[in-house]
Amino acid sequence: MEPVERLTHIITIMEDVIKNERLETYFLGMWVRSLESELRNADPRSRRFERIRKSLASSQEVMLFCWRQIDHFINMRNYVIVQAVLRNHPLPVLDHAPIRMTELAYAVTIAPESETSREEFVKKKRITGEEMFLPPPEIAIGIDIGTGPRCVAVWNDSKVELFSNTENENIMKSAEIIKDDGSSIGVISASEVTLSQNQEHDMLYEATIYNMRRLIGRIDVDPIVQENKKFPFLLHTLYIGGCPFIAAPKNIALKFTAAEQVLVVYLGQLRVLAETQLERPVSKVVLMVPVSFSRIQLARTQYVCAKAGLYDLKLMPQPTAVALLYAQQQMLASFSCEDMDSESNKVALIFNMDFGYCDVAVTVATAEGECRMKALAGSSSGGEDLLVNMIRYLLPDSENIFKKHIDGDEENKSMSLLRVAILEAIQRLSSQTSVEFDLDLGDGLKICKVVKREEFEDVNKEVFEKCERLIIQSLQDADIKVDDINDVIIVGGCWNIPKVKDLVTKICKGKELYKGMNPLEAALCGAAVAGAVAAGIVDPKLGLMTSHVTPFSVGIQANGIHFVPVIPRNTSMPTTRVMDFTTIHDNQTEALILVYEGEGQKAEENHLLGYLKIMGIPAAPRGVPEINVRMNIDCENGLRVGAAVYMPGSDQPAIPAMEARMPMSMTDDGYAEALNRTYGDTKDLVTLVKME
């Protein structure tokens, strides 16, 4: 068989496989949706409810596997196409193969244009006939999708390399613009969506969707979702415990989407950007996430990455990535300084605040490259809260003025104009003491006011106080005194706000800020380093080790409506903790263990992760059965919860022990309310107090 026929035959087979896999995934998706519908209508007390729940969980795993298979064959097919182009083989299958535009652009971009360059490229890469059909070596990239900017980097030639787009920009905007023809773009250059009022075209006259990381994994009754309805695009909430829908007005129609779908566009295009510059498929990634992300939000993030073709995933809190970069710098400094004590440790306080979140971490870095996380704390307070507070300050009746922005473009443009102006003002207040607003929002609405830096700080007093509490909480959890801190690191999009610097340095008794890293790129560089370490790249600069902690307490509902932590926050991972409970009623034969994550004293104030229903407890007076709840968090932050029932005088479980992985679902869609409504307190537990 001729080479061109062989290539065509291989690609045709791959196309058939991809088509069949997509068809099977489509029908599997319909099956999953039907199971979800049945589960909502089923009685939680029935065996049918348990069977449907288990079937749904297994179906979701199979669906994730199908997505992986599809992406694997797409990557293999594209690799064959690229090699064919490099070898100057005409491929008639390209004329009708259903290749996505981004994939075709990837194949064309990395292929040299001239015969000479093509030969040189093949010679340089030493591509032989046997190697032609082998998959290229894997490489792990680091991605930071901020609430505003996002970027991608990789460890290359013993240093971190930031990828640039076609306009030679390393940092791009996290926004999706809906075009007239219904298509959308997700990787937007800084010049396309700017904070300048002179170049605000896309923000004002296109259907632009942004701030999606702040909404991912949240339900429509979440206070954060309700607070973030002040966007130029429409946020639909039905108050039923489901995911909010996003509608971007375009002409006379609306395009509906979800936060997860927008992030799929972002990640997919960043993956193509990395593949284009690395000249190989990419599926391994270290993705930055906020500390305050719940396990449900992390599960949704994993789902988004899978749909974008990124499977070998490591989710890393942003301050942890900064801590890893700091540990690498301390290790390299010890190499260059022979007089430095190899046993010396350095303590760093890391403060990260961007547009959507605020994170704090305390870490200990050793000269041997060990990064020991001592404490993590985070909240959903960020630059968006600063912006919203300023809107309310400048325009007290803004909610009533803009609540009908779906009815026309004028309100949409006015809201966008006001947001852009305030964002620019916040930036300018970092370098000057006052800014002047002179805005004509249309319909006779004008804002003419001079805002001083002190006013801005007073308007956002509560936000800055939350930041202070996070720092104090982290130091207390880490059991570290301020005098023991060696370096204070401020990173993130809000690093240059004077009040942010003041509150951090004030708590740290005036310590000078660390200047050894770029505040806007520190987390991304740490992600690239983590990706290189995880990929097993051999490099003296990568002799690093990181010990992680869990940012939230994990426990169950007991003692009435209270939340009883089994694993306290900032516990080192991996870890296993056991706590004993007992029945609250005489002859209680069943128990319902509701697993939560959070710091609220009441169970309902935390995130429901799942539940275990214990049946067949031997009838006995209350307080006699011993219900042993075991929780395990592995080194990848995976949580498993088990339960066993013991009777006095016996070392063997009275009934078979059970165990489940949490979270059980990727959304908190009202299970807790339904279970409490069905069972009440008939299956409650209380903490078992053992006498010495």
Side-chain angles (χ1 to χ4, degrees):
M1 183 181 294
E2 295 294 330
V4 64
E5 295 177 358
R6 183 184 178 195
L7 288 170
T8 303
H9 180 65
I10 291 175
I11 295 174
T12 303
I13 292 175
M14 289 183 177
E15 292 292 350
D16 292 338
V17 173
I18 293 169
K19 182 178 179 181
N20 293 334
E21 288 280 355
R22 282 176 172 164
L23 186 63
E24 292 178 8
T25 306
Y26 171 75
F27 287 112
L28 183 60
M30 295 178 62
W31 169 248
V32 168
R33 285 191 292 272
S34 67
L35 286 177
E36 290 175 345
S37 177
E38 291 184 27
L39 191 67
R40 293 189 184 94
N41 298 327
D43 185 357
R45 294 173 297 182
S46 65
R47 295 183 180 274
R48 177 171 173 269
F49 183 87
E50 288 295 321
R51 288 197 301 269
I52 296 174
R53 184 184 61 77
K54 292 179 181 179
S55 178
L56 177 60
S58 61
S59 298
Q60 288 173 336
E61 291 183 3
V62 173
M63 195 169 182
L64 182 61
F65 173 77
C66 289
W67 277 112
R68 292 189 178 189
Q69 288 290 102
I70 291 172
D71 189 75
H72 171 72
F73 280 103
I74 287 176
N75 285 336
M76 291 296 297
R77 178 198 62 192
N78 289 350
Y79 184 69
V80 173
I81 292 173
V82 170
Q83 299 298 343
V85 174
L86 294 178
R87 289 173 171 267
N88 198 24
H89 284 311
L91 293 178
V93 73
L94 284 175
D95 295 334
H96 56 79
I99 302 175
R100 295 178 299 193
M101 290 303 297
T102 54
E103 297 165 357
L104 184 58
Y106 158 61
V108 173
T109 302
I110 71 172
E113 297 178 356
S114 65
E115 291 294 329
T116 304
S117 62
R118 182 178 293 111
E119 293 174 359
E120 292 176 353
F121 184 86
V122 173
K123 183 179 180 181
K124 178 182 177 181
K125 296 298 182 181
R126 296 186 177 88
I127 300 176
T128 65
E130 292 76 15
E131 295 172 339
M132 182 173 178
F133 297 101
L134 294 177
E138 284 283 8
I139 191 168
I141 61 174
I143 294 180
D144 182 12
I145 297 188
T147 312
R150 72 306 183 44
C151 34
V152 57
V154 69
W155 182 265
N156 189 24
D157 292 334
S158 294
K159 65 179 183 300
V160 175
E161 177 184 342
L162 272 67
F163 293 142
S164 303
N165 59 9
T166 55
E167 299 186 17
N168 199 31
E169 294 171 332
N170 294 330
I171 298 179
M172 294 147 280
K173 298 297 179 181
S174 293
E176 180 179 11
I177 293 182
I178 312 300
K179 295 297 186 181
D180 291 323
D181 58 1
S183 62
S184 63
I185 58 175
V187 177
I188 305 172
S189 67
S191 59
E192 284 184 280
V193 181
T194 178
L195 299 181
S196 172
Q197 296 184 46
N198 297 325
Q199 299 176 347
E200 61 196 13
H201 178 271
D202 285 321
M203 287 289 282
L204 301 183
Y205 299 103
E206 297 282 359
T208 306
I209 302 173
Y210 46 89
N211 273 21
M212 291 302 97
R213 192 178 70 161
R214 196 172 168 93
L215 300 177
I216 186 172
R218 298 187 186 274
I219 57 177
D220 56 6
V221 295
D222 193 301
I224 298 297
V225 174
Q226 298 300 319
E227 185 66 25
N228 282 271
K229 284 188 173 182
K230 306 166 185 64
F231 295 138
F233 54 85
L234 183 65
L235 196 61
H236 271 297
T237 56
L238 301 178
Y239 300 95
I240 59 174
C243 295
F245 288 99
I246 300 152
K250 191 62 184 175
N251 295 331
I252 59 173
L254 294 174
K255 177 170 181 178
F256 284 86
T257 185
E260 289 79 2
Q261 295 302 321
V262 177
L263 288 176
V264 168
V265 176
Y266 295 168
L267 286 173
Q269 295 190 7
L270 287 177
R271 178 174 67 89
V272 171
L273 174 66
E275 289 177 341
T276 301
Q277 300 195 26
L278 290 173
E279 303 172 358
R280 68 185 74 179
V282 172
S283 63
K284 293 184 177 180
V285 64
V286 176
L287 185 67
M288 298 292 92
V289 294
V291 171
S292 59
F293 258 24
S294 67
R295 291 183 181 272
I296 292 176
Q297 289 177 290
L298 295 177
R300 294 300 296 178
T301 303
Q302 290 176 325
Y303 168 76
V304 166
C305 290
K307 292 197 69 175
L310 300 167
Y311 303 116
D312 293 318
L313 185 67
K314 183 179 181 63
L315 300 179
M316 177 175 283
Q318 288 173 307
T320 302
V322 178
L324 182 63
L325 181 64
Y326 175 75
Q328 184 191 47
Q329 293 178 346
Q330 301 310 309
M331 180 186 69
L332 297 179
S334 68
F335 290 166
S336 59
C337 183
E338 297 180 357
D339 296 333
M340 182 175 292
D341 185 5
S342 61
E343 300 297 328
S344 63
N345 297 337
K346 283 199 171 184
V347 180
L349 173 72
I350 300 171
F351 183 88
N352 172 68
M353 186 176 183
D354 64 10
F355 203 67
Y357 293 90
C358 179
D359 301 327
V360 181
V362 178
T363 181
V364 177
T366 69
E368 290 79 20
E370 183 181 0
C371 172
R372 294 200 298 265
M373 302 303 300
K374 304 295 290 184
L376 286 172
S379 74
S380 56
S381 298
E384 175 67 23
D385 299 278
L386 305 179
L387 186 148
V388 171
N389 290 339
M390 286 300 294
I391 290 178
R392 291 172 177 167
Y393 176 69
L394 295 173
L395 206 61
D397 199 32
S398 59
E399 295 187 12
N400 293 327
I401 293 174
F402 295 135
K403 70 179 181 180
K404 297 181 180 180
H405 66 269
I406 188 57
D407 296 336
D409 289 338
E410 294 304 320
E411 290 83 0
N412 182 18
K413 295 175 184 177
S414 299
M415 181 188 293
S416 299
L417 178 62
L418 182 59
R419 288 178 62 91
V420 168
I422 293 178
L423 282 173
E424 184 190 42
I426 293 175
Q427 290 182 343
R428 290 167 56 192
L429 283 173
S430 299
S431 57
Q432 56 193 65
T433 58
S434 64
V435 293
E436 182 179 357
F437 286 92
D438 187 6
L439 296 175
D440 186 355
L441 301 178
D443 198 22
L445 184 62
K446 294 184 179 181
I447 298 179
C448 298
K449 185 178 179 60
V450 175
V451 177
K452 296 182 180 180
R453 183 186 293 174
E454 291 76 12
E455 292 180 77
F456 166 74
E457 295 173 354
D458 187 62
V459 168
N460 293 286
K461 183 179 179 181
E462 293 185 4
V463 176
F464 294 127
E465 288 177 349
K466 287 182 181 179
C467 297
E468 291 181 1
R469 289 196 293 269
L470 287 178
I471 298 174
I472 295 173
Q473 174 189 314
S474 297
L475 292 173
Q476 291 176 347
D477 290 350
D479 193 20
I480 288 182
K481 299 178 181 179
V482 173
D483 295 334
D484 297 330
I485 297 176
N486 300 104
D487 292 303
V488 179
I489 305 172
I490 300 181
V491 296
C494 298
W495 74 276
N496 205 31
I497 297 178
K499 182 62 177 179
V500 170
K501 295 181 179 180
D502 290 344
L503 69 90
V504 176
T505 53
K506 179 181 178 181
I507 295 176
C508 296
K509 297 182 179 180
K511 291 183 180 292
E512 186 177 353
L513 299 181
Y514 186 72
K515 299 179 181 179
M517 57 183 69
N518 187 324
L520 296 178
E521 300 175 359
L524 178 65
C525 293
V529 172
V533 173
I537 296 177
V538 179
D539 193 316
K541 296 181 179 180
L542 297 178
L544 303 168
M545 183 175 63
T546 307
S547 62
H548 300 274
V549 295
T550 176
F552 290 112
S553 300
V554 183
I556 71 170
Q557 176 177 315
N559 305 333
I561 60 173
H562 294 90
F563 172 65
V564 180
V566 177
I567 299 180
R569 70 169 182 255
N570 290 318
T571 299
S572 297
M573 300 186 294
T575 185
T576 299
R577 296 294 178 92
V578 180
M579 185 172 287
D580 296 325
F581 299 86
T582 189
T583 54
I584 195 174
H585 302 290
D586 293 333
N587 300 319
Q588 181 177 334
T589 59
E590 295 183 354
L592 187 64
I593 299 176
L594 297 178
V595 182
Y596 287 89
E597 175 187 55
E599 302 303 326
Q601 293 185 353
K602 296 182 179 179
E604 62 184 13
E605 298 173 352
N606 303 290
H607 299 285
L608 176 68
L609 301 179
Y611 63 92
L612 295 175
K613 184 180 179 182
I614 302 177
M615 304 174 67
I617 301 174
R622 63 181 181 180
V624 173
E626 181 179 313
I627 301 175
N628 191 273
V629 177
R630 176 184 297 268
M631 294 188 179
N632 172 265
I633 299 179
D634 58 29
C635 57
E636 297 297 330
N637 200 27
L639 172 65
R640 300 195 71 88
V641 180
V645 178
Y646 294 89
M647 298 302 291
S650 175
D651 294 334
Q652 299 297 322
I655 58 176
M658 57 176 57
E659 187 180 69
R661 189 175 182 87
M662 305 286 173
M664 288 183 168
S665 174
M666 288 189 290
T667 57
D668 183 358
D669 46 7
Y671 284 147
E673 182 181 350
L675 291 168
N676 284 324
R677 184 174 60 249
T678 302
Y679 295 114
D681 63 350
T682 60
K683 304 184 189 312
D684 279 358
L685 299 174
V686 294
T687 306
L688 180 62
V689 180
K690 293 185 177 182
M691 303 299 294
E692 295 294 340

